[in-house]
Amino acid sequence: AGPACTLCHVVISPKWMDLMPGAIPKEEALLETLDEDLRTASSRLGCQIRLTKDMEGMVVAIPDGPPGDYNGV
């Protein structure tokens, strides 16, 4: 099915981005809907990252959570 929202938005430490597979077009489109002040060159949707042993120690930042009126997906 693929990604459906941006609630799992994470920011990957730039030095780890080379280990990330490229984002699929639907993920890229969803990331483009984020406010410009939240989106970075290393923004990804956490639900789309398949973790591997090579990523052990990877640094990931989790931006502020959803708005207070969030009622789930």
Side-chain angles (χ1 to χ4, degrees), residues 35-55:
D35 289 337
E36 287 185 24
D37 59 329
L38 294 177
R39 188 176 62 236
T40 72
S42 56
S43 285
R44 292 296 303 266
L45 298 181
C47 69
Q48 297 301 297
I49 299 172
R50 185 171 299 230
L51 298 176
T52 66
K53 183 74 171 160
D54 294 338
M55 296 174 186

Side-chain angles (χ1 to χ4, degrees), residues 6-71:
T6 59
L7 293 176
C8 63
H9 172 230
V10 295
V11 179
I12 307 297
S13 175
K15 74 177 190 176
W16 290 91
M17 284 302 291
D18 288 342
L19 290 175
M20 296 288 107
I24 63 172
K26 189 169 183 180
E27 178 184 2
E28 290 177 0
L30 285 168
L31 288 169
E32 289 176 10
T33 68
L34 290 170
D35 289 337
E36 287 185 24
D37 59 329
L38 294 177
R39 188 176 62 236
T40 72
S42 56
S43 285
R44 292 296 303 266
L45 298 181
C47 69
Q48 297 301 297
I49 299 172
R50 185 171 299 230
L51 298 176
T52 66
K53 183 74 171 160
D54 294 338
M55 296 174 186
E56 187 172 330
M58 180 172 57
V59 177
V60 178
I62 302 172
D64 287 339
D69 61 352
Y70 170 71
N71 291 318

